[in-house]
Amino acid sequence: MIHLAFREHRLHRLEANIQPENAPSIALVRSLGFELEGYSPRYLKIGGRWRDHERWAIRSENWRAQRSLDP
């Protein structure tokens, strides 16, 4: 999906907003090269409650640099 976004659609960045207690999702985006960029208090109302989120992102130039390091 990241390849499609950056190569075929020529997007500059991808973002994922994740609740801080969602460790599996944070581990996934971190493993893909996303970096923590910020914190958004009361970002989204879920189940009748406002939930805080962390903002994770990856930029196309960082993704390309990572891929050049892969064996």
Side-chain angles (χ1 to χ4, degrees):
M1 185 54 76
I2 295 173
H3 177 86
L4 180 69
F6 289 147
R7 296 287 180 160
E8 293 188 31
H9 294 290
R10 299 193 181 273
L11 296 178
H12 172 68
R13 65 185 283 120
L14 298 173
E15 289 188 10
N17 289 284
I18 304 169
Q19 293 178 51
E21 62 276 1
N22 189 341
S25 291
I26 290 171
L28 173 64
V29 295
R30 184 179 281 138
S31 75
L32 294 172
F34 283 63
E35 298 175 334
L36 179 62
E37 288 193 331
Y39 187 79
S40 302
R42 297 173 46 87
Y43 176 73
L44 191 62
K45 198 171 195 178
I46 300 171
R49 290 183 43 215
W50 287 102
R51 308 293 176 131
D52 300 342
H53 283 69
E54 294 177 351
R55 186 176 60 258
W56 291 80
I58 187 169
R59 293 182 312 277
S60 60
E61 61 269 18
N62 292 0
W63 178 75
R64 285 188 181 96
Q66 283 178 340
R67 290 183 49 87
S68 69
L69 298 175
D70 289 341

